[in-house]
Amino acid sequence: MKKIIFALFIIVLVFQPVSGFSQSFAKIYNSPTDFFNGICDSSQGISVERRTRGQIIMNGGNDFKISSEDKVLSKKLKKQVWGVVYNDSLFINGRPLKLGGSWYGYTEIIGKRLFLLAGIPLDKDFQDQMAIASMMGGPLVAGIAGADLALVRYYYEVYLPYGSIAILKKEKMAELLASAPDLAQSYALEEEPEKIPVLKRYLLELKKR
C-alpha cells in the first residue's frame, strides 16, 4: 500500500502543470545608471508572471508582471524600479520609460547593448516621431485601434548609462549586423525587416556570435 501511495505521489509531481508564476532570488536596479555600474538591491521571494493576452487587452501594459511577497516592495517594483534581473534575464519596467504603460518587458542583452520589447510609447513627442516614421514605411502600422493597440510591440534600444531609448528600425539593425556579413546580407533580403519576429531572429543570431 505504501508503495502505491508513493508511486501516486511521484506521478502527481511529474505531471502537475507548471505555473507561469515563480519565486526566486532577484537583483533590483533603481536606475539605468545603477545597472550600468552594477549597483543593485537583492531580494528573495520575487515573482515573475507572464501576463495573458486577455490581461493585456483589458488593462494594457507590457508582457511581464513582477511582484514581491512584501507589499511595500511590490508597490516599488510597479512604480519606481527601473529593472530586475531574474534567473540571468533582464526585465525593464515600461512605466519609468513611458512605454506601454505599466509592467515589464523582456530585454535582450547583446554585449553592452540592451534591446527592450515593450508597448507603444505614452510620450506624445515620441508618438509623433513614430507617426512620421509610419508615413515613411517605419514600424508603426496605420489603422491600429482599440484593443489591438495594447498588443502592439516594438523593440527599443536602451542606451546606458542614462537610459534614453530609440526604436530599433531597419537602418539601425543593418548597422548592428555589419560585424556579421552573412547576417547582414540575409537581413537585406528580408521583405518585412521591421517585423518583431524578424528583428528577434536576427538579434538572437547576433547574440550567439
Side-chain angles (χ1 to χ4, degrees):
M1 185 65 180
K2 289 183 179 180
K3 290 182 179 180
I4 294 174
I5 293 173
F6 180 75
L8 290 173
F9 175 72
I10 294 298
I11 290 172
V12 170
L13 285 179
V14 171
F15 290 101
Q16 66 180 343
V18 178
S19 171
F21 195 82
S22 52
Q23 296 187 344
S24 186
F25 171 83
K27 295 178 181 178
I28 298 171
Y29 297 89
N30 293 311
S31 70
T33 304
D34 283 354
F35 181 81
F36 181 77
N37 292 313
I39 300 170
C40 66
D41 298 320
S42 300
S43 179
Q44 296 281 0
I46 293 291
S47 301
V48 177
E49 177 185 4
R50 178 181 283 276
R51 302 176 70 226
T52 66
R53 178 186 176 92
Q55 287 172 332
I56 294 170
I57 289 174
M58 289 294 293
N59 301 305
N62 295 301
D63 296 330
F64 292 89
K65 176 181 177 179
I66 300 182
S67 57
S68 169
E69 297 169 344
D70 182 331
K71 291 184 178 180
V72 174
L73 179 54
S74 268
K75 186 175 181 180
K76 184 179 178 182
L77 283 164
K78 183 176 182 179
K79 296 185 176 181
Q80 298 176 359
V81 167
W82 176 81
V84 173
V85 171
Y86 176 91
N87 288 343
D88 297 323
S89 295
L90 172 62
F91 299 87
I92 291 179
N93 192 349
R95 191 178 186 117
L97 294 174
K98 298 183 179 179
L99 296 179
S102 58
W103 304 125
Y104 289 73
Y106 181 78
T107 305
E108 297 290 353
I109 304 175
I110 302 177
K112 294 183 179 181
R113 296 176 181 269
L114 306 180
F115 298 94
L116 164 66
L117 186 62
I120 62 171
L122 302 182
D123 181 83
K124 188 178 184 305
D125 290 338
F126 208 162
Q127 287 181 350
D128 290 343
Q129 292 176 32
M130 293 174 68
I132 294 171
S134 70
M135 294 172 62
M136 301 175 63
L140 186 62
V141 180
I144 297 174
D148 289 339
L149 199 60
L151 299 171
V152 174
R153 294 291 180 266
Y154 300 98
Y155 270 113
Y156 301 89
E157 184 170 7
V158 182
Y159 297 98
L160 296 174
Y162 302 111
S164 59
I165 57 174
I167 297 172
L168 180 59
K169 297 193 284 188
K170 60 182 179 181
E171 295 82 6
K172 184 63 177 181
M173 191 73 233
E175 180 184 324
L176 292 170
L177 294 172
S179 60
D182 58 325
L183 294 180
Q185 184 177 5
S186 176
Y187 183 70
L189 299 176
E190 293 286 348
E191 294 183 359
E192 297 181 303
E194 291 180 337
K195 290 288 187 180
I196 291 299
V198 174
L199 291 172
K200 182 176 182 177
R201 183 167 74 251
Y202 284 92
L203 285 174
L204 292 177
E205 285 295 328
L206 192 61
K207 194 173 183 177
K208 296 176 184 176
R209 302 298 174 98

